[in-house]
Amino acid sequence: MAVVRVRSVRLMLPGRGTALCAGTTRAGRSCCNLEVEGFGFCLHHVPDDELADAEQVVGFERCRTRFGQPDACRFIALSYVDSPPVCKVHLSGFARTTEAIAFIRGQALDRFSQLRLVR
Ligand SMILES: [Zn+2]
Ligand SMILES: [Zn+2]
């Protein structure tokens, strides 16, 4: 069964280390997320050249908007969007609508086929 990954669920995902992220937030405070295991940073703050590896570990992706630039987006990308990964803020209105509808339809079909299997 498909699992919807939302931001509030990410703490339960695998690949999370025990140390705090060494990054700082835009407000200049220490990041209080836990590191991706072995990277020393959470997925928001992991260096760009290690990002793909860190994504493999945790199983979700970071938005690639302005990737590699100081003001790059650090939100977690939507799990149902094809590459390049993009967060809900940077998904264009058109894509947001069509992708979301396709996703919800897929969910409904999944559920429907399971119901039929059970009964
Ligand atoms: Zn962090
Ligand atoms: Zn974004």
Side-chain angles (χ1 to χ4, degrees), residues 21-23 31 33 41-45:
C21 170
C31 177
N33 290 326
F41 295 93
C42 71
L43 197 69
H44 301 287
H45 294 117

Side-chain angles (χ1 to χ4, degrees), residues 21 36 41-52 54-56 58-79 82-88 90:
C21 170
V36 178
F41 295 93
C42 71
L43 197 69
H44 301 287
H45 294 117
V46 79
D48 291 346
D49 57 350
E50 294 176 32
L51 178 58
E55 286 173 339
Q56 292 275 317
V58 295
F60 58 105
E61 296 173 308
R62 194 166 81 192
C63 179
R64 289 297 196 278
T65 302
R66 291 192 291 282
F67 181 71
Q69 296 175 43
D71 62 346
C73 178
R74 297 190 180 279
F75 287 134
I76 298 305
L78 298 170
S79 63
D82 288 336
S83 57
V86 65
C87 71
K88 68 180 178 200
H90 291 113

